[in-house]
Amino acid sequence: MRPIHLISFGYLHLPTGPDGQPIPLAADRIEDVRDRLRDPAAVRDILDLDGLDPRVQDVVLATPGARELLANLAGYANLPAGPAASPSAVQVGSTEVLTGLPKDTPS
């Protein structure tokens, strides 16, 4: 299986186009999870932690549907769409930067 590079971004922190809509960076796939994953910033005792801390990952992965989303992204990485040696770049966008997903997730 090919690795996945999950790139977290916050829609509120992106540059905007002439129409005022946010412009995400280039990626193989962009997932808007603003309504689908729990925002780790809502849990006060993990505010100063990053997504590599297991406590932050536990908060995000406890959201119903989070594990299914990651399985879907892993399946996407294995579609025959380019050199097998290169990882899929997947951006995961939320209102703020979503820090609860590991930066590099092997599929």
Side-chain angles (χ1 to χ4, degrees), residues 17-94:
D19 60 356
Q21 295 297 311
I23 304 171
L25 301 172
D28 296 314
R29 179 172 170 176
I30 298 174
E31 282 291 321
D32 183 346
V33 297
R34 288 177 280 189
D35 294 331
R36 295 174 29 201
L37 292 183
R38 182 171 293 131
D39 181 1
V43 180
R44 294 208 174 270
D45 60 334
I46 63 171
L47 278 176
D48 295 329
L49 305 175
D50 67 20
L52 298 176
D53 190 291
R55 293 172 288 179
V56 177
Q57 293 175 21
D58 288 346
V59 168
V60 173
L61 292 174
T63 303
R67 292 185 187 280
E68 291 81 1
L69 172 64
L70 288 176
N72 178 279
L73 296 176
Y76 172 80
N78 291 305
L79 292 175
S86 64
S88 291
V90 177
Q91 291 200 31
V92 180
S94 58

Side-chain angles (χ1 to χ4, degrees), residues 3-8 51-52 57 87-89 101-107:
I4 302 172
H5 289 280
L6 289 178
I7 304 159
S8 174
L52 298 176
Q57 293 175 21
S88 291
L101 295 173
K103 295 179 193 234
D104 291 314
T105 302
S107 58

